[in-house]
């Protein structure tokens, strides 16, 4: 199941496709260049069957690809110039189903969780710091459907119970 796609901002012919059970696919024009999984990347398997679940993809302002690797011990991965780096994210358990990711202009990573709200992470040195956001601190519902950042850095989150807006994301 192909569930996420992100075009390379530095190469209009290069795309990445995240699949729910078969890892990450790299395309150039209409040709598959590579399929990344546990054998050739830092992506981790979700179970004994070897399912590599990529829930979301987004490029940051530097052109680096950020990947959510659902049900992995290190669920956040960065691919920069063919170099892989993986992160443990506080407030994100290995049992959580992670989905979409959005890289914001202030270097935050907004990560959708299945029926658990979302996690906002940022890099501090080689580590990640994060905050879990749910109905107790600003979301209309624990079920996050989508999110977007506007030109002023305001984050808009669409939930099952309506819209939530975060004005001061720092």
């Amino acid at each position: 199941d192909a569930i996420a796609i992100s075009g390379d901002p530095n190469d209009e012919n290069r795309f990445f496709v995240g699949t729910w059970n078969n890892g990450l696919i790299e395309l150039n024009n209409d040709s598959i260049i590579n399929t990344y999984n546990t054998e050739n990347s830092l992506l981790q398997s979700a179970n004994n069957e070897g399912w590599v679940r990529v829930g979301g993809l987004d490029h940051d302002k530097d052109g680096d690809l950020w990947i959510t690797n659902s049900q992995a011990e290190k669920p956040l991965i960065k691919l920069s110039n063919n170099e892989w780096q993986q992160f443990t994210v506080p407030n994100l358990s290995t049992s959580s189903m992670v989905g979409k990711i959005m890289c914001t202009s202030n270097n935050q990573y907004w990560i959708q969780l299945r029926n658990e709200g979302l996690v906002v992470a940022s890099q501090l040195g080689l580590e990640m710091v994060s905050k879990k956001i749910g109905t107790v601190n600003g979301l209309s519902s624990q079920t996050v459907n989508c999110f977007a950042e506007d030109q002023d850095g305001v984050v808009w989150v669409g939930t099952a119970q309506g819209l939530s807006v975060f004005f001061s994301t720092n």
Side-chain angles (χ1 to χ4, degrees), residues 34-98:
N34 213 334
T35 300
Y36 299 102
N37 52 41
T38 59
E39 303 293 320
N40 60 355
S41 73
L42 293 180
L43 291 168
Q44 297 175 324
S45 176
N47 57 29
N48 292 334
E49 287 83 29
W51 294 349
V52 178
R53 293 183 164 162
V54 173
L57 304 169
D58 196 20
H59 282 86
D60 66 16
K61 61 185 177 183
D62 296 324
D64 298 330
L65 180 66
W66 289 85
I67 305 160
T68 59
N69 187 184
S70 191
Q71 297 171 289
E73 286 187 35
K74 295 189 176 185
L76 186 58
I77 296 178
K78 176 182 172 183
L79 179 58
S80 176
N81 298 318
N82 296 319
E83 296 288 326
W84 296 82
Q85 189 176 5
Q86 63 188 161
F87 300 92
T88 301
V89 179
N91 299 305
L92 186 53
S93 74
T94 57
S95 63
S96 291
M97 296 273 204
V98 295

Side-chain angles (χ1 to χ4, degrees), residues 94-165:
T94 57
S95 63
S96 291
M97 296 273 204
V98 295
K100 298 173 185 169
I101 182 171
M102 176 179 63
C103 302
T104 62
S105 60
N106 62 349
N107 297 317
Q108 292 178 335
Y109 312 102
W110 290 61
I111 302 168
Q112 173 195 37
L113 306 177
R114 183 180 287 176
N115 301 320
E116 296 181 53
L118 51 87
V119 168
V120 179
S122 57
Q123 199 168 354
L124 186 61
L126 298 175
E127 302 294 320
M128 283 288 165
V129 294
S130 70
K131 180 173 184 154
K132 192 166 188 176
I133 299 177
T135 54
V136 295
N137 52 2
L139 280 182
S140 302
S141 165
Q142 292 288 100
T143 303
V144 172
N145 297 319
C146 58
F147 38 62
E149 179 184 27
D150 69 19
Q151 293 178 345
D152 296 322
V154 175
V155 174
W156 300 72
V157 181
T159 75
Q161 296 297 313
L163 190 61
S164 299
V165 183

